[in-house]
Amino acid sequence: MILELKPHVDAFAFIARLERMGFQAVRQSESTLSIVRGMDKKVLPELFTSLPEVAAVLPLKEKFKLASKAAKQKTVIQIKGKTIGGEELFVIAGPCSIESKEQMELCARMAFENGAQSLRGGAFKPRTSPYEFQGMGEEGLKILHDAAAHYNLVTISEVMDASQIDLVAKYTDILQIGARNMHNFTLLKELERVKNPILLKRGFAATYQDLLLAAEYIISGGNPNVILCERGIRTFETHTRNTLDLNAVPALKELTHLPIVVDPSHGTGRRSMVLPMARAAVAAGADGIMVEMHPDPDKAHTDGAQTIGPVLFEKMMKELNLIYKCLSSIDPSN
Ligand code: PEP
Ligand code: MN
């Protein structure tokens, strides 16, 4: 349930009052609160309309209260002078796995020189086989941090387990929750420990509602800065690694205020398809793109087949910026 407050009501004092009544409320905007706990008892809206601070009570149709569009219009995340969900396209680029200092320095330079905002790299890798490269761990995180710091790039790396949260948060700006962990509710709850924005990837078989409920776990834990990531789902098609569901972009824009990033690398599994699907994602209204990029993709330890090299990356950045600019000159709501 959303409560719209009368003008000049002290929202913090009112939240404390609601707490004494057995409810937990979270501020959604200047004038709205959302009740996040206490609604399991059969509470009638009249209970709130009768309070002198309340102007209106708005029912919430969706199960995801805090992530819903009814709760808030737009989330814009500010980080290192860049914005996610704002007026610029946020491009995250870098290798699937951090492999060496040299590799990450080259990636950081490529990202910066071509106008990307963020450098990615996995230090803990969720590999299907236990015999494959598992990542460099803390040493890798230090390399990512140092390479990005040189160019003031925003860093992002995956957390696979709650025991890694503090370590990854120490070195990186944004924590990534991978597709395999989207349903790991214990891990999602543990994210309340940190203030870092969270990039939450859609599970292989997750619906939009599943994704938004996973986001709800993080937001209700007190971390409102969630970025959703469409990275493809499993379908009966075997030609591509996954099927990149670009319906997700306009659908999620209707359902939620959270920014949406598209990952055409995992979404296709094929290097040749990354650029066309990145173009399509921007045209569909994505707030950002995450691509796997490597100075020499054929030598990448992981996901080389879907990783683009310097030439393709440069071309992609030029084209995406053109498409993004073009979109701003038309009305994107049509
Ligand atoms: C990744 O980003 O390298 C990754 C493992 O992604 P996903 O969780 O989408 O498979
Ligand atoms: Mn990968």
Side-chain angles (χ1 to χ4, degrees):
M1 209 169 274
I2 304 281
L3 306 184
E4 202 179 306
L5 305 184
K6 288 186 182 155
H8 314 302
V9 167
D10 178 344
F12 294 103
F14 185 52
I15 288 173
R17 176 173 182 190
L18 289 169
E19 247 163 50
R20 289 193 295 277
M21 291 167 66
F23 299 102
Q24 191 191 336
V26 176
R27 209 157 172 199
Q28 288 306 314
S29 68
E30 277 295 295
S31 61
T32 55
L33 299 182
S34 174
I35 307 281
V36 291
R37 287 207 185 99
M39 295 303 293
D40 32 350
K41 306 168 236 154
K42 287 244 172 278
V43 179
L44 298 172
E46 289 73 39
L47 174 70
F48 299 107
T49 34
S50 66
L51 300 175
E53 296 91 340
V54 174
V57 177
L58 315 167
L60 262 182
K61 287 186 266 67
E62 295 92 353
K63 284 192 187 169
F64 43 92
K65 302 180 205 305
L66 300 174
S68 88
K69 197 85 179 174
K72 193 176 174 183
Q73 268 311 298
K74 206 168 164 52
T75 288
V76 179
I77 301 171
Q78 313 266 2
I79 184 161
K80 286 189 169 161
K82 305 162 211 295
T83 55
I84 311 165
E87 300 300 314
E88 66 175 338
L89 183 69
F90 190 81
V91 179
I92 306 163
C96 181
S97 301
I98 301 161
E99 299 163 7
S100 70
K101 189 165 175 287
E102 298 68 39
Q103 171 226 26
M104 290 311 291
E105 283 173 354
L106 283 168
C107 284
R109 201 170 83 204
M110 272 159 62
F112 174 77
E113 285 179 353
N114 290 290
Q117 287 75 3
S118 175
L119 182 67
R120 62 154 282 153
F124 298 101
K125 294 306 301 176
R127 305 310 304 281
T128 305
S129 161
Y131 305 117
E132 290 170 343
F133 179 61
Q134 304 287 312
M136 288 181 78
E138 184 168 6
E139 191 191 345
L141 292 172
K142 280 187 196 152
I143 292 175
L144 170 68
H145 172 273
D146 294 347
H150 192 67
Y151 300 102
N152 191 39
L153 292 167
V154 173
T155 50
I156 172 160
S157 199
E158 180 166 352
V159 174
M160 279 173 45
D161 180 90
S163 65
Q164 298 161 354
I165 294 176
D166 297 317
L167 184 68
V168 180
K170 183 172 145 195
Y171 293 103
T172 69
D173 300 305
I174 302 176
L175 307 189
Q176 174 173 322
I177 297 297
R180 292 158 192 79
N181 265 320
M182 192 211 82
H183 290 288
N184 184 344
F185 304 120
T186 331
L187 175 60
L188 300 180
K189 281 189 199 161
E190 289 286 335
L191 293 168
E192 71 183 22
R193 294 217 301 268
V194 289
K195 293 272 166 272
N196 310 53
I198 309 293
L199 182 113
L200 177 66
K201 294 189 110 181
R202 180 181 180 190
F204 309 131
T207 62
Y208 304 145
Q209 176 164 294
D210 294 336
L211 175 63
L212 291 168
L213 285 170
E216 194 78 14
Y217 266 98
I218 304 170
I219 306 172
S220 64
N223 189 340
N225 293 324
V226 179
I227 304 151
L228 303 173
C229 180
E230 167 58 47
R231 48 77 71 208
I233 49 171
R234 283 267 162 89
T235 65
F236 53 78
E237 182 54 68
T238 53
H239 181 73
T240 47
R241 182 176 178 182
N242 290 291
T243 294
L244 186 63
D245 175 20
L246 288 182
N247 287 354
V249 178
L252 289 168
K253 288 271 165 203
E254 284 174 17
L255 293 169
T256 180
H257 51 85
L258 299 171
I260 299 142
V261 162
V262 171
D263 170 355
S265 306
H266 294 86
T268 62
R270 287 175 173 256
R271 195 178 299 163
S272 62
M273 293 179 67
V274 170
L275 173 56
M277 294 314 283
R279 288 187 198 121
V282 175
D287 297 295
I289 298 291
M290 175 151 96
V291 283
E292 288 184 337
M293 161 270 254
H294 191 289
D296 190 353
D298 290 333
K299 297 215 172 82
H301 287 16
T302 55
D303 285 352
Q306 66 190 35
T307 300
I308 59 173
V311 176
L312 204 47
F313 180 65
E314 189 181 333
K315 181 170 158 61
M316 184 194 82
M317 289 304 293
K318 282 199 184 116
E319 293 189 9
L320 296 191
N321 285 322
L322 278 174
I323 296 169
Y324 194 74
K325 228 183 259 160
C326 177
L327 277 184
S328 61
S329 64
I330 56 174
D331 181 357
S333 58
N334 292 317

